Amino acid sequence: MLTPAEERRNHKRRELLLLLPVYEAEGNHVVGALGDISMTGIMLFSSLPVMIHEEHALVLQGTDLQQIMRYKNAPEKIQLRAQSRWRTMIKPELYKIGFKFTEISEPTLNIIRDLVRQLWSQRSIGNSFVEMTLMIEEIFDVEKLYEISDQVRELPGVIAVSLRAENNRMMNVQYHPEQTSCHQLLDTLRQQQIQTRLVRI
């Protein structure tokens, strides 16, 4: 059971994740709120049951990035083309939806790299969540590595997953220690015949 202080940290951290809206470019309506972003994709919390394998033109507004993320020099908007890859209901009328980028410019990738660093820095405040780094020991193509990261992201207790830009076989995983553990996550991957070892926790 969480202490009052842990509850407050958990609430603050959840607000950081849920306050940044992500829009559909066509119609400019809100699709969901930022839950996780990496160099390869984005995860949203959404009340919309988005269909799997749909192509979407998503937009992050520069004013939101400046005000909510305190991200200076943000462009007017960041456009992302992405395909929905998975969807999990976390409570009635609220979903976690994973998107994989299908088209993205180099300048936008540089901005996302900065956002990833900033999000992970914000999440490191307090100790409600635990971060670990896994090494996938087998050689897989990039598409398979994306699939593995999507599988890990859907596991109970997992908050965020990010493949390292410098070595995409290295996976950063952030999880809630009261819902899972590093050993459970490793066992789950090994049961799927994915040889993985713990690098850092």
Side-chain angles (χ1 to χ4, degrees), residues 124-141:
S124 68
I125 301 168
N127 59 4
S128 295
F129 302 109
V130 175
E131 179 185 338
M132 68 176 178
T133 301
L134 303 177
M135 169 63 84
I136 299 171
E137 297 188 313
E138 299 175 67
I139 304 297
F140 292 115
D141 59 27

Side-chain angles (χ1 to χ4, degrees), residues 5-187:
E6 288 171 332
E7 286 283 5
R8 286 194 297 272
R9 284 197 295 269
N10 192 30
H11 181 62
K12 179 179 180 182
R13 196 178 301 264
R14 181 63 66 185
E15 287 179 338
L16 285 171
L17 297 178
L18 292 181
L19 281 175
L20 186 65
V22 179
Y23 301 85
E24 186 83 55
E26 186 175 341
N28 201 36
H29 65 273
V30 175
V31 180
L34 180 68
D36 187 17
I37 189 167
S38 72
M39 301 303 292
T40 58
I42 190 168
M43 186 272 282
L44 303 182
F45 291 100
S46 177
S47 60
L48 305 175
V50 172
M51 298 296 291
I52 306 303
H53 302 308
E54 281 186 342
E55 190 86 8
H56 291 261
L58 303 176
V59 173
L60 295 170
Q61 296 289 358
T63 51
D64 294 333
L65 292 169
Q66 290 170 357
Q67 294 172 9
I68 298 170
M69 295 286 296
R70 301 292 186 260
Y71 184 74
K72 298 178 181 178
N73 304 316
E76 182 180 347
K77 59 183 177 181
I78 298 173
Q79 296 181 312
L80 307 165
R81 289 205 65 83
Q83 183 187 63
S84 53
R85 301 297 296 268
W86 55 268
R87 183 185 72 203
T88 303
M89 180 182 283
I90 54 178
K91 64 180 184 178
E93 299 184 357
L94 183 61
Y95 301 87
K96 287 202 304 185
I97 304 171
F99 295 84
K100 178 188 172 186
F101 298 139
T102 56
E103 184 181 326
I104 193 164
S105 67
E106 191 62 34
T108 300
L109 275 176
N110 291 333
I111 293 171
I112 289 175
R113 186 176 289 111
D114 288 342
L115 289 176
V116 169
R117 292 194 191 103
Q118 192 161 331
L119 263 179
W120 281 82
S121 174
Q122 289 172 341
R123 289 168 176 169
S124 68
I125 301 168
N127 59 4
S128 295
F129 302 109
V130 175
E131 179 185 338
M132 68 176 178
T133 301
L134 303 177
M135 169 63 84
I136 299 171
E137 297 188 313
E138 299 175 67
I139 304 297
F140 292 115
D141 59 27
V142 175
E143 186 71 22
K144 179 63 176 178
L145 291 170
Y146 293 156
E147 290 179 12
I148 294 170
S149 65
D150 284 347
Q151 291 170 13
V152 174
R153 197 176 279 111
E154 291 184 78
L155 296 174
V158 172
I159 304 301
V161 179
S162 177
L163 294 175
R164 292 276 187 89
E166 68 275 12
N167 181 355
N168 54 23
R169 290 169 60 205
M170 299 276 282
M171 181 186 296
N172 290 330
V173 181
Q174 202 170 49
Y175 63 92
H176 199 302
E178 292 198 358
Q179 297 180 29
T180 189
S181 70
C182 63
H183 299 296
Q184 286 177 302
L185 294 172
L186 283 168
D187 287 344

